[in-house]
Amino acid sequence: QVKLVESGGGSVQAGGSLRVACAASGNTSSLHCMGWFRQVPGKDREGVALIWPNDGSTHYIGSAKGRFTISHDNAKNTVHLQMNSLKPEDTAMYYCAASLFWCDLWRGENFNYWGQGTQVTVSS
């Protein structure tokens, strides 16, 4: 079992930055990849960024490229998402997720573990 705990959300004005973190505990060596998803009430969940801790490979959705950076601290089993140049449309609940096998930002249902979420609000 793996437990994921997010932190670091908050409110910021458009153009600002926020960094959210996801601390993983338990059998983290079994994880194939970790990622961030976001969801706005009434809308579908959206994958934002993925990282493969073993080799540091990353993948982003189009709207996150150039603005967001996902990273993994192996010593602390923590994944960070640095978000710069934030826009009001980035406002959402951000969830950390981890997968044992399949890693696809478009297939959130394949992720095995989820955190409780942290709110990010960007005002115009």
Side-chain angles (χ1 to χ4, degrees):
Q1 280 289 345
V2 173
K3 182 178 180 181
L4 304 175
V5 179
E6 300 98 333
S7 61
S11 298
V12 66
Q13 288 191 326
S17 298
L18 278 175
R19 190 187 194 207
V20 291
C22 172
S25 60
N27 190 19
T28 57
S29 62
S30 65
L31 298 177
H32 185 44
C33 70
M34 296 182 70
W36 288 94
F37 291 77
R38 64 188 181 186
Q39 190 167 23
V40 175
K43 293 188 176 182
D44 291 338
R45 180 178 55 202
E46 177 183 46
V48 177
L50 282 179
I51 188 165
W52 284 260
N54 285 345
D55 65 6
S57 299
T58 58
H59 180 65
Y60 300 90
I61 58 167
S63 62
K65 290 180 180 178
R67 299 190 300 127
F68 294 5
T69 302
I70 188 170
S71 60
H72 183 264
D73 184 333
N74 289 329
K76 297 181 179 179
N77 282 324
T78 299
V79 173
H80 293 99
L81 184 67
Q82 176 69 42
M83 301 180 286
N84 299 327
S85 302
L86 282 162
K87 304 175 182 180
E89 51 264 42
D90 294 317
T91 295
M93 185 71 80
Y94 282 70
Y95 296 91
C96 177
S99 176
L100 298 171
F101 302 105
W102 301 107
C103 299
D104 186 338
L105 282 176
W106 302 103
R107 298 279 185 176
E109 65 270 21
N110 290 333
F111 283 72
N112 306 95
Y113 304 104
W114 292 84
Q116 82 286 354
T118 185
Q119 178 68 35
V120 171
T121 302
V122 184
S123 58
S124 58

